[in-house]
Amino acid sequence: MLTSEEWDAVPDDPDPHENLGYELVDLTVIQSETDDKYVFLPAEESSLLEEAFIVAEADVLVDLRE
């Protein structure tokens, strides 16, 4: 986690990997059969216990590869 000084030094448009330390991972997307909800799971099963889960409304999802 970044300290407040480190956070202040991050550019306004940071590179997710270089500036924030994020690693891109492949995700498996599963849509609910009963409503418009989705589950995003790491493609590798070994990451299931290590990774955090995100709960979000559909209108806040953005494809960062575009």
Side-chain angles (χ1 to χ4, degrees):
M1 183 176 264
L2 297 174
T3 66
S4 61
E5 291 83 20
E6 291 170 323
W7 186 250
D8 289 340
V10 172
D12 289 339
D13 187 15
D15 177 274
H17 176 69
E18 294 294 323
N19 301 118
L20 301 176
Y22 292 133
E23 296 291 331
L24 294 178
V25 296
D26 291 326
L27 297 176
T28 300
V29 180
I30 303 168
Q31 183 175 7
S32 169
E33 295 178 7
T34 58
D35 54 32
D36 290 335
K37 294 189 175 18
Y38 294 85
V39 175
F40 297 84
L41 298 171
E44 293 190 30
E45 188 175 333
S46 62
S47 297
L48 281 174
L49 297 176
E50 300 170 15
E51 302 300 319
F53 290 86
I54 298 172
V55 177
E57 297 292 329
D59 61 334
V60 300
L61 299 178
V62 177
D63 187 343
L64 300 177
R65 294 173 292 176
E66 295 179 358

